[in-house]
Amino acid sequence: DKIEAHQEVLTNYLMEEMQKIEGVKVYNKSATTGVVSFNIWDAHPHDVSTMFDEEHIALRAGHHCAQLIIKWLDTIGTLRACFYIYNDFEDCDKFIAALHEAVEYFKEW
């Protein structure tokens, strides 16, 4: 129960912060499980994940074995951030800072 509660608190915090950033599209806004699927502007998910990797933040990018959903979402893929018991608010803040940087970078393109 404590693990689920921890994930929910972090996910809610992350969702609130992400919704404040123009250019970020969250696909599962009601998630509480520690998994957030999103995209930035029209940036390719693999390009964005490379930027996050340079900040030592691991994201998954692509179809996530769900090509039909990706097609239904009318996108080429998504980014997925996952949080678990080893993550904390500091990790969320680092993620949000990297997200701001990526949004600003891809806004230019």
Side-chain angles (χ1 to χ4, degrees):
D1 290 337
K2 289 182 180 181
I3 293 171
E4 287 177 16
H6 178 74
Q7 283 182 295
E8 187 172 350
V9 167
L10 289 182
T11 304
N12 288 338
Y13 174 72
L14 195 71
M15 290 288 193
E16 286 178 26
E17 295 301 312
M18 289 178 76
Q19 290 179 22
K20 296 176 186 177
I21 305 171
E22 184 182 346
V24 175
K25 180 172 185 159
V26 178
Y27 294 102
N28 60 333
K29 293 180 183 174
S30 60
T32 59
T33 60
V35 178
V36 179
S37 295
F38 68 101
N39 272 328
I40 296 175
W41 301 102
D42 291 327
H44 195 286
H46 292 123
D47 294 334
V48 177
S49 68
T50 299
M51 288 188 72
F52 274 74
D53 183 57
E54 291 172 356
E55 298 296 324
H56 306 287
I57 299 171
L59 291 181
R60 290 186 167 79
H63 294 142
H64 316 292
C65 298
Q67 287 88 340
L68 293 176
I69 292 172
I70 297 299
K71 185 175 181 179
W72 180 75
L73 292 172
D74 194 30
T75 186
I76 57 173
T78 63
L79 293 154
R80 189 174 72 200
C82 302
F83 294 87
Y84 199 56
I85 70 170
Y86 42 76
N87 296 112
D88 57 22
F89 286 104
E90 185 178 328
D91 294 323
C92 290
D93 291 338
K94 185 176 178 182
F95 173 87
I96 292 298
L99 186 59
H100 277 286
E101 288 180 34
V103 166
E104 288 303 311
Y105 177 82
F106 286 108
K107 186 189 296 185
E108 301 298 320
W109 301 97

